[in-house]
C-alpha cells in the first residue's frame, strides 16, 4: 500500500522491542551460546503489521514465539516500511547504516518483500497501461526486476552477517485478489506472474528457509482460494488471524541457524 511521504519518514525510525519471558526448554541451537538474541525484521507493510491492532503483526508474534520457544531474551528491531518494493529494500541494505549495522548484529533476520512490486504492475495491467502487444510487459518487467533485486538482497544480508551463525527466514507471497480477478476474467493472466515470483523466493538457497504463506492462504495454484478469513477490511493486508498464520509458518521452520560463506552465496 502507498503511504504519504511524511508517514514513510516517520516509519523509518527504528522500533525496538525487548521481550522477556520465563525460561522454557530451548528448541534450537540459536541460544546455545547466548541467552540474548537480536532479531531484525525487514519488509513492507506486512512486516510493519499494518491493521493488526491486537499484536502488531507477524513480526512481533514471531519474536514472542522465538523468546518462548528458546528461553532467550529477544531484542527486536523492526525496520519494515509500508509501501516498500524490493528496490527500496535493496537500496537501504546498501546505503543505510541503520539497516547495515542492525543486520550485522542480528542472530535472526526475517524479511518479506515483493508484494508491492507486483501490485504496481497489476494496477497498470488493469488500467491498460502495462505495455506490450498483450498489455503484460510491465508484469514481465516486474518479475525480472524482482529476481535481480531478490538475489542482491540475499547477498547483502549474508555478507553483512559475515559467515556468523544466523537464522535466515523469509516467506513467499499470498494472493489477496483471487475473487476479484476471477470474476473479471484476469486471474489466469495475473496469477502465473505471482507463481514465477514465488518460485524465485522458494529457490533462494544460501541457508534461507522460506515459510509457505501462499499455500497457507491460497492453497494451490490450480484452484486458488480467496483468503477472506485472513484479510483485513482493506481486502489486501492480513488481519490478526492472517498475521498469526504467517508467524506460525515461520515458527514451523524451527530456529536452526545457518553458517553461510558469503562468497559462496550467488
Amino acid at each position: 500500500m502507498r503511504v504519504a511521504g511524511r508517514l514513510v519518514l516517520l516509519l523509518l525510525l527504528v522500533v525496538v522491542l525487548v521481550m522477556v519471558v520465563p525460561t522454557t526448554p530451548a528448541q534450537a541451537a540459536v541460544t546455545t551460546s547466548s541467552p540474548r538474541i537480536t532479531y531484525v525484521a525487514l519488509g513492507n507493510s506486512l512486516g510493519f503489521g499494518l491493521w493488526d491492532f491486537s499484536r502488531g503483526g507477524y513480526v512481533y508474534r514471531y519474536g514472542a514465539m522465538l523468546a518462548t520457544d528458546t528461553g532467550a531474551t529477544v531484542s527486536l528491531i523492526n525496520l519494515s516500511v509500508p509501501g516498500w518494493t524490493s528496490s527500496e529494500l535493496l537500496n537501504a541494505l546498501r546505503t543505510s547504516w541503520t539497516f547495515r549495522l542492525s543486520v550485522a548484529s542480528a542472530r535472526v533476520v526475517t524479511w518479506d518483500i515483493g508484494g508491492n512490486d507486483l501490485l504496481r504492475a497489476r494496477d497498470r495491467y488493469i488500467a491498460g497501461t502495462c505495455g506490450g502487444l498483450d498489455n503484460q510487459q510491465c508484469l514481465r518487467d516486474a518479475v525480472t526486476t524482482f529476481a535481480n533485486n531478490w538475489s542482491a538482497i540475499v547477498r547483502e544480508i549474508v555478507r553483512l552477517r559475515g559467515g556468523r551463525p544466523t537464522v535466515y527466514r523469509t516467506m513467499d507471497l499470498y494472493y489477496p485478489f483471487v475473487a476479484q480477478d476471477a470474476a473479471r476474467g484476469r486471474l489466469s493472466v495475473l496469477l502465473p506472474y505471482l507463481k514465477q515470483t514465488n518460485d524465485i523466493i522458494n529457490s533462494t538457497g544460501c541457508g534461507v528457509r522460506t515459510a509457505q504463506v501462499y499455500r497457507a492462504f491460497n492453497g494451490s495454484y490450480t484452484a486458488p482460494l480467496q483468503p477472506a478469513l485472513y484479510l483485513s477490511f482493506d481486502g489486501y493486508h492480513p488481519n490478526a488471524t492472517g498475521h498469526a498464520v504467517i508467524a506460525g509458518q515461520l515458527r514451523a521452520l524451527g530456529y536452526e541457524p545457518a553458517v553461510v560463506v558469503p562468497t559462496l552465496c550467488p
Side-chain angles (χ1 to χ4, degrees), residues 54 81 106 110 136 142 190 192 226 256:
S54 61
V81 181
T110 66
Q136 296 179 37
L190 294 170
Q226 172 65 22
E256 189 68 27

Side-chain angles (χ1 to χ4, degrees), residues 84-102:
W84 266 18
T85 64
S86 60
S87 296
E88 289 163 312
L89 176 56
L90 176 58
N91 181 66
L93 287 168
R94 285 175 169 172
T95 65
S96 168
W97 282 106
T98 296
F99 278 73
R100 292 179 66 80
L101 291 175
S102 296

Side-chain angles (χ1 to χ4, degrees), residues 4-261:
R6 291 183 179 179
L7 179 58
V8 173
L9 292 175
L10 289 174
L11 296 176
L12 284 171
L13 295 175
V14 179
V15 180
V16 180
L17 174 65
V18 179
M19 297 168 291
V20 181
V21 298
T23 300
T24 58
Q27 295 184 3
V30 70
T31 59
T32 299
S33 61
S34 175
R36 184 176 297 274
I37 299 172
T38 297
Y39 163 31
V40 170
L42 310 169
N44 49 36
S45 51
L46 269 68
F48 183 76
L50 196 64
W51 309 136
D52 181 7
F53 301 107
S54 61
R55 293 289 299 278
Y58 82 81
V59 166
Y60 294 91
R61 294 168 186 270
Y62 179 67
M65 292 172 179
L66 175 63
T68 298
D69 293 344
T70 64
T73 298
V74 176
S75 298
L76 170 58
I77 304 174
N78 191 351
L79 296 173
S80 302
V81 181
W84 266 18
T85 64
S86 60
S87 296
E88 289 163 312
L89 176 56
L90 176 58
N91 181 66
L93 287 168
R94 285 175 169 172
T95 65
S96 168
W97 282 106
T98 296
F99 278 73
R100 292 179 66 80
L101 291 175
S102 296
V103 172
S105 69
R107 291 286 301 279
V108 179
V109 183
T110 66
W111 64 97
D112 68 84
I113 205 71
N116 289 310
D117 298 56
L118 292 182
L119 177 62
R120 296 179 184 183
R122 176 181 178 271
D123 289 344
R124 290 178 60 188
Y125 173 80
I126 293 173
T129 60
C130 193
L133 296 177
D134 56 0
N135 188 39
Q136 296 179 37
Q137 187 58 47
C138 70
L139 292 161
R140 289 188 286 269
D141 291 345
V143 173
T144 299
T145 298
F146 174 80
N148 293 332
N149 288 344
W150 183 261
S151 297
I153 287 168
V154 174
R155 283 196 301 270
E156 288 295 330
I157 292 172
V158 170
R159 287 172 181 171
L160 287 168
R161 290 298 299 144
R164 295 182 295 275
T166 307
V167 178
Y168 299 107
R169 298 292 182 266
T170 190
M171 65 198 69
D172 59 9
L173 307 175
Y174 66 92
Y175 199 67
F177 308 117
V178 172
Q180 301 96 306
D181 288 346
R184 291 164 177 78
R186 58 187 181 228
L187 184 63
S188 61
V189 172
L190 294 170
L191 192 61
Y193 290 103
L194 177 79
K195 185 179 185 301
Q196 290 176 39
T197 302
N198 282 342
D199 287 345
I200 293 166
I201 296 172
N202 282 304
S203 61
T204 298
C206 295
V208 178
R209 295 185 184 178
T210 304
Q212 300 300 300
V213 172
Y214 178 86
R215 183 185 305 163
F217 273 55
N218 298 107
S220 70
Y221 289 99
T222 55
L225 303 173
Q226 172 65 22
L229 294 178
Y230 298 151
L231 299 181
S232 65
F233 63 88
D234 65 4
Y236 176 58
H237 292 95
N239 56 20
T241 301
H243 279 287
V245 169
I246 294 172
Q249 290 291 313
L250 287 168
R251 184 186 208 177
L253 298 174
Y255 307 108
E256 189 68 27
V259 178
V260 182
V261 179

